[in-house]
Amino acid sequence: DTLLEFLRVRRILEPAATAMAAERITEEDSEGLRALLDSIGPDPAAEDLVANDLEFHRRIAACSGNSVLCSLLESMSGPTARARVWRGLTQTGARTQTMTEHRAILGALAAHQPEVARSWSTVHIAGVEQWLASVP
């Protein structure tokens, strides 16, 4: 239950940070995110994908330009990391879905589309939340 609460708060805060980042992101930041996503290859282990995922989201929060928001999101990433690995190991297609959603978020960021970036971020986080809520 506590983990679901973390994810629900993350679903509120992270899309806002992503939208803010879309307004401020530089081409250099976008290229760095693209290189980060490319670095894990097409079929990463769940643990590698989660490490990449944590860094991807950390960098986006940093691009928001709001240090308080970054700190809040950073404090919430640790407790949700184990659930992300578990999902990657147990849910069919979760790794591919995560990578596809990361690319969509990056596309919206690079195009400076705050509302599209916010929407993709919401979908991305809600997927983990829905999966966790459905696990017995």
Side-chain angles (χ1 to χ4, degrees):
D1 287 344
T2 302
L3 187 53
L4 276 171
E5 289 177 353
F6 270 102
L7 286 167
R8 288 177 183 134
V9 172
R10 186 174 165 229
R11 184 172 35 88
I12 294 166
L13 298 178
E14 193 153 336
T18 305
M20 292 166 66
E23 295 172 346
R24 301 173 44 93
I25 197 164
T26 66
E27 189 173 328
E28 183 180 336
D29 293 328
S30 293
E31 287 305 316
L33 286 169
R34 187 168 284 107
L36 177 68
L37 296 181
D38 290 346
S39 72
I40 58 170
D43 190 27
E47 295 85 357
D48 294 337
L49 179 59
V50 170
N52 190 278
D53 177 74
L54 293 171
E55 180 63 13
F56 180 74
H57 291 283
R58 186 195 66 74
R59 289 186 191 186
I60 291 171
C63 287
S64 77
N66 186 312
S67 62
V68 174
L69 187 53
C70 287
S71 180
L72 287 169
L73 289 169
E74 182 66 29
S75 71
M76 294 173 30
S77 68
T80 63
R82 185 173 297 158
R84 293 163 161 176
V85 171
W86 185 26
R87 179 183 182 221
L89 292 171
T90 62
Q91 185 183 30
T92 302
R95 287 183 251 180
T96 300
Q97 182 176 351
T98 296
M99 294 186 319
T100 299
E101 290 168 358
H102 280 179
R103 295 283 178 189
I105 292 167
L106 175 56
L109 288 168
H112 301 282
Q113 297 175 317
E115 293 310 312
V116 175
R118 180 191 313 269
S119 296
W120 274 113
S121 181
T122 301
V123 166
H124 181 58
I125 296 163
V128 178
E129 184 183 341
Q130 285 181 319
W131 168 81
L132 186 60
S134 73
V135 172

